[in-house]
Amino acid sequence: MPDPAVERRTRKRQMTRQAISDVATRLFFERGFDRVTIDEIAQAADVGRMTVFNHFPRKEDLFFDREDAIRDAALAALRMRDRARSPVEALRALAHRLIDTPDPTFPLFDGTCRFVQTALASEALKARARQMRDDFVQLLAVALVEDAAAPENDPDAQLAAGLIAATWTVAFMEAHKRFAETEDLDAANRLFLALIDKGMAGVEAALAGTAYAGAA
């Protein structure tokens, strides 16, 4: 049976992490990422400097604190899909689920304008976003290889992962711009899914006949 003491410590740690993240996000939005220090975050969250670093090894991790959850959702969609569905199709379907059944953990456009604006105003955050994208491509390529029992470092898996990541990046940024201009959430959602569908169709065509896409 679960140890109540361990569960209590885990809950406390999660609450502390969330409190630090919430404070950091507020300060970043108010003043800009580059103008906020770790010491200021620690003071505002009423914790020690080392407590912040224990939960977030880098300052950028405080901003991109949902990256792990987003990554895990993509990998879960791949692992848990109907085996009659290709990996590319499973990740296309994930985009539609996020729109059709919004998850508060993954707000796509409504409520993300300040997040995107803050990220674009910081060279450090833009560099970290590029690194996270590259890391995700490698992680997805490995997952695709393992799923298909393909040879390690299969170039087709690398191509699939890179094209999928590019499709999602373009779809998100273009839909965000549409929402920022119009404040029309439905229009942003439609544009996001239209670009996802076009991009994933291109991936399916490029990878047709491989283990990662549908039949040619």
Side-chain angles (χ1 to χ4, degrees):
M1 294 182 63
D3 186 332
V6 173
E7 290 186 333
R8 187 163 52 251
R9 287 195 297 271
T10 299
R11 287 196 302 271
K12 184 176 180 180
R13 178 176 175 80
Q14 291 172 340
M15 291 173 62
T16 299
R17 186 183 192 280
Q18 189 61 54
I20 294 170
S21 174
D22 290 344
V23 166
T25 298
R26 174 175 59 80
L27 292 175
F28 294 152
F29 285 176
E30 289 175 354
R31 296 164 49 194
F33 178 81
D34 298 325
R35 296 179 180 176
V36 178
T37 68
I38 293 294
D39 287 335
E40 289 170 331
I41 293 169
Q43 182 178 11
D46 195 24
V47 298
R49 176 185 176 87
M50 289 310 301
T51 298
V52 176
F53 281 120
N54 286 339
H55 289 276
F56 302 95
R58 289 176 292 192
K59 181 182 170 185
E60 291 83 359
D61 295 334
L62 282 157
F63 188 81
F64 294 112
D65 64 316
R66 295 179 178 175
E67 177 64 19
D68 288 349
I70 296 170
R71 176 204 64 199
D72 292 346
L75 296 181
L78 178 64
R79 290 193 306 269
M80 300 172 65
R81 75 186 192 280
D82 181 337
R83 302 306 293 188
R85 171 177 282 177
S86 75
V88 173
E89 172 58 23
L91 293 171
R92 187 193 75 84
L94 173 62
H96 281 261
R97 286 200 301 275
L98 291 175
I99 296 298
D100 295 340
T101 310
D103 185 334
T105 307
F106 307 119
L108 288 177
F109 312 114
D110 188 13
T112 63
C113 285
R114 293 180 71 186
F115 177 86
V116 175
Q117 290 166 356
T118 301
L120 292 177
S122 168
E123 292 301 321
L125 289 178
K126 287 191 288 187
R128 179 58 181 150
R130 289 191 294 270
Q131 183 60 59
M132 289 190 306
R133 183 184 59 205
D134 291 345
D135 290 345
F136 176 72
V137 167
Q138 294 307 310
L139 187 68
L140 180 57
V142 169
L144 289 169
V145 163
E146 292 176 348
D147 179 80
E152 186 177 356
N153 297 321
D154 180 11
D156 282 339
Q158 294 287 335
L159 177 61
L163 292 173
I164 290 167
T167 293
W168 276 72
T169 298
V170 170
F172 175 79
M173 293 305 299
E174 290 301 315
H176 163 74
K177 286 192 289 187
R178 178 68 57 84
F179 182 76
E181 293 167 356
T182 66
E183 297 187 355
D184 186 334
L185 180 58
D186 288 339
N189 287 342
R190 288 194 301 272
L191 178 59
F192 176 72
L193 292 180
L195 292 173
I196 286 286
D197 289 346
K198 287 179 182 178
M200 290 305 204
V203 181
E204 286 275 8
L207 277 297
T210 72
Y212 314 116

